[in-house]
Amino acid sequence: GEDVEQSLFLSVREGDSSVINCTYTDSSSTYLYWYKQEPGAGLQLLTYIFSNMDMKQDQRLTVLLNKKDKHLSLRIADTQTGDSAIYFCAESYSGAGSYQLTFGKGTKLSVIP
Amino acid sequence: GAGVSQTPSNKVTEKGKYVELRCDPISGHTALYWYRQSLGQGPEFLIYFQGTGAADDSGLPNDRFFAVRPEGSVSTLKIQRTERGDSAVYLCASSPQENTEAFFGQGTRLTVV
């Protein structure tokens, strides 16, 4: 079955870049996503990338996809204290007419002022 | 409202009781998803509706769990004979159509004591 793995913790200094990594196993994934979850809040979609793309940039966010290695990364430039949250990598599985998301366990990003 | 609304936000119930969790999707969204997030884990897919019908219920853990969406808008997740292991945050998401951006609600935190 599908599996998405992420490191559990990342700590960076304010102003530095953060890089959160993710690996996945389902080669038939159509979209790969990054979600942000702040304490007590729902999931917020940050960005997504279609599986035939290598890179996507959106303001301070850069997503890199290595489809051969099934590796996805999220780079946050000029990390701010407001970026402290849990970041989830997810892939969409479109088998059997469904579009369920498979999530990793999340990476907790701590930004040190 | 503008977003996905879930009620109640918190629910404490005794083991063995029946509970209903409600989701109001964004108006006009045809796709609706239920996920369950246990402590320290990423969300896990439960069920996906396209309109009124459950297009994929492969994530429901057992026959104690059931969900409906009778008019293609509001959905109710029903859990019979609750167990302590059912304690989790239950998240609902909706999207305009399948495999487009899914917007998540704040979730219902269910605690079974």
Side-chain angles (χ1 to χ4, degrees):
Chain A
E2 311 85 32
D3 198 15
V4 177
E5 298 205 355
Q6 311 175 231
S7 52
L8 295 181
F9 302 98
L10 177 65
S11 181
V12 299
R13 292 204 173 275
E14 190 174 17
D16 288 350
S17 291
S18 308
V19 179
I20 304 171
N21 294 299
C22 169
T23 57
Y24 61 97
T25 57
D26 187 359
S27 59
S28 63
S29 297
T30 49
Y31 288 92
L32 294 132
Y33 303 82
W34 285 104
Y35 280 85
K36 177 182 181 182
Q37 188 175 44
E38 294 178 273
L43 289 163
Q44 175 195 354
L45 178 65
L46 287 178
T47 187
Y48 63 92
I49 190 168
F50 189 54
S51 57
N52 69 354
M53 296 170 61
D54 298 323
M55 185 183 90
K56 182 178 180 181
Q57 186 149 6
D58 184 1
Q59 300 182 340
R60 292 192 297 121
L61 306 178
T62 303
V63 178
L64 294 178
L65 175 61
N66 181 329
K67 196 171 181 182
K68 174 175 170 288
D69 294 338
K70 299 191 181 72
H71 182 268
L72 183 74
S73 68
L74 173 69
R75 179 177 181 269
I76 306 173
D78 187 24
T79 312
Q80 302 298 305
T81 54
D83 294 324
S84 294
I86 299 176
Y87 290 80
F88 291 93
C89 170
E91 61 176 350
S92 67
Y93 168 63
S94 57
S98 171
Y99 297 90
Q100 57 177 283
L101 295 172
T102 300
F103 287 85
K105 291 186 178 182
T107 299
K108 184 174 182 181
L109 175 65
S110 299
V111 182
I112 304 164
Chain B
V4 176
S5 175
Q6 292 188 245
T7 52
S9 54
N10 280 283
K11 175 73 177 176
V12 180
T13 192
E14 291 181 348
K15 179 173 175 294
K17 298 289 189 185
Y18 168 82
V19 295
E20 289 189 352
L21 311 179
R22 177 187 167 106
C23 172
D24 279 270
I26 294 172
S27 178
H29 281 193
T30 58
L32 185 146
Y33 307 81
W34 283 100
Y35 287 81
R36 178 169 71 172
Q37 186 176 18
S38 301
L39 192 63
Q41 303 294 314
E44 293 177 311
F45 170 78
L46 294 177
I47 188 169
Y48 157 64
F49 285 91
Q50 183 55 241
T52 60
D56 182 357
D57 64 358
S58 63
L60 294 177
N62 52 59
D63 62 7
R64 295 187 298 106
F65 288 74
F66 190 70
V68 296
R69 195 186 185 199
E71 297 176 0
S73 178
V74 170
S75 177
T76 305
L77 178 66
K78 308 180 181 195
I79 310 174
Q80 297 177 318
R81 304 182 305 279
T82 50
E83 300 177 356
R84 293 198 179 88
D86 299 334
S87 297
V89 175
Y90 289 81
L91 296 165
C92 177
S94 70
S95 61
Q97 50 189 309
E98 57 269 11
N99 215 24
T100 56
E101 178 180 352
F103 296 85
F104 281 80
Q106 302 277 66
T108 294
R109 181 176 296 278
L110 175 66
T111 304
V112 182
V113 297

